[in-house]
Amino acid sequence: MNQWIQYLQDSPLFEGLTEAELMPVLNMSKVQYLKDKDRLFWEGDEKKSFYVLGKGTILISKLTENGDESLINVLGEGEIFPHTGFFQKFPYPGTATAKKEVVVLAIPIEGFEAFFREKPDLAFKIIQVMDGKIVYLQKKLNEVLSLNVESRLKSTFSYLKDVQGQVIQLTHQELGNIIGASRETVSRQLKKWEHDGIVDVKKDRIIIQEEEYFKEQP
């Protein structure tokens, strides 16, 4: 089966649709290849497509009032993004940057609108997808406001483990941007975890050694 069809069928948005039903989506779409640090789109650009991430990691960031770039989300293989405004003409809400080599499937919004009109039951699925992302962002905001640095970093690693697997390919600065802490603070915490055998810190990646430590508590 085509890789992209499998990704679509595995997503909550297209779950239950057959390969034949999804072929119109695939036929209207285009595969794009990005190198490390390439921008897929910029915050404020006109939204013409949404994307399926087939390979690699995408970092989503926004500009703060001070003009700094704040990392707000990390996307893994199989994710569909951006998560809001599938049919609205609003611009992209953030900037999407490739982490290492990335392959995406670009689905044109205008073509998808026609596909959507033939399958109105997709509306509820879109609401579910958006609701799940809102819950995640609310949780992330609450963590920044209420938890200490170690707890915020631990929660972030729990999420990243599901996105990237056992090997976290983010810099200390990028991790700091996610949890609202300095690079130096993140480095100190990672050194402590490395001393305790929880992670193995390399130059360009962090390897999780104790996966149980980062499991979310019920």
Side-chain angles (χ1 to χ4, degrees):
M1 183 183 296
N2 185 287
Q3 174 199 21
W4 296 112
I5 291 290
Q6 188 64 60
Y7 278 133
L8 291 173
Q9 289 180 327
D10 288 343
S11 74
L13 180 59
F14 296 101
E15 184 180 6
L17 297 185
T18 67
E19 181 174 356
E21 289 174 322
L22 287 171
M23 282 308 298
V25 177
L26 195 63
N27 291 336
M28 73 176 72
S29 305
K30 179 182 179 182
V31 178
Q32 293 182 224
Y33 300 87
L34 294 88
K35 297 180 180 178
D36 188 38
K37 297 182 180 180
D38 281 353
R39 307 284 189 171
L40 179 60
F41 54 76
W42 292 85
E43 180 180 357
D45 280 354
E46 180 184 358
K47 191 184 338 176
K48 296 182 178 179
S49 302
F50 66 97
Y51 301 88
V52 182
L53 180 51
K55 175 186 175 182
T57 301
I58 287 285
L59 308 181
I60 303 295
S61 59
K62 289 184 68 69
L63 286 178
T64 66
E65 292 182 356
N66 298 327
D68 299 322
E69 198 169 29
S70 177
L71 185 60
I72 61 171
N73 207 354
V74 180
L75 307 178
E77 293 179 6
E79 290 208 55
I80 296 176
F81 65 100
H83 302 114
T84 59
F86 281 97
F87 307 112
Q88 296 168 322
K89 303 303 181 183
F90 298 141
Y92 288 112
T95 297
T97 305
K99 184 72 175 179
K100 307 298 182 183
E101 292 186 352
V102 165
V103 182
V104 298
L105 182 71
I107 303 175
I109 289 176
E110 287 189 2
F112 184 69
E113 285 179 349
F115 175 80
F116 179 84
R117 283 193 290 270
E118 297 177 1
K119 298 185 179 296
D121 53 308
L122 286 179
F124 183 67
K125 292 185 177 182
I126 289 177
I127 292 172
Q128 287 181 313
V129 170
M130 293 172 61
D131 183 63
K133 292 302 175 181
I134 289 172
V135 169
Y136 163 71
L137 292 173
Q138 287 176 332
K139 178 182 176 184
K140 183 173 179 290
L141 177 60
N142 289 337
E143 288 169 353
V144 170
L145 295 176
S146 62
L147 300 179
N148 60 35
V149 168
E150 181 177 5
S151 298
R152 299 202 304 266
L153 191 59
K154 182 177 179 180
S155 179
T156 297
F157 265 67
S158 177
Y159 169 74
L160 292 173
K161 180 167 64 68
D162 293 335
V163 173
Q164 293 191 330
Q166 191 175 353
V167 180
I168 307 301
Q169 298 185 29
L170 293 178
T171 66
H172 296 191
Q173 183 63 63
E174 288 167 341
L175 289 168
N177 290 344
I178 292 175
I179 67 171
S182 68
R183 178 183 61 80
E184 293 77 12
T185 300
V186 169
S187 296
R188 284 195 296 270
Q189 183 58 53
L190 289 175
K191 285 181 180 179
K192 180 179 182 299
W193 282 349
E194 186 172 40
H195 179 268
D196 294 340
I198 297 171
V199 300
D200 186 11
V201 181
K202 302 295 185 182
K203 181 179 180 181
D204 58 348
R205 64 195 186 281
I206 302 159
I207 304 171
I208 295 175
Q209 302 290 350
E210 294 289 341
E211 293 190 56
E212 288 290 327
Y213 182 78
F214 297 108
K215 279 194 174 179
E216 290 279 9
Q217 297 300 316

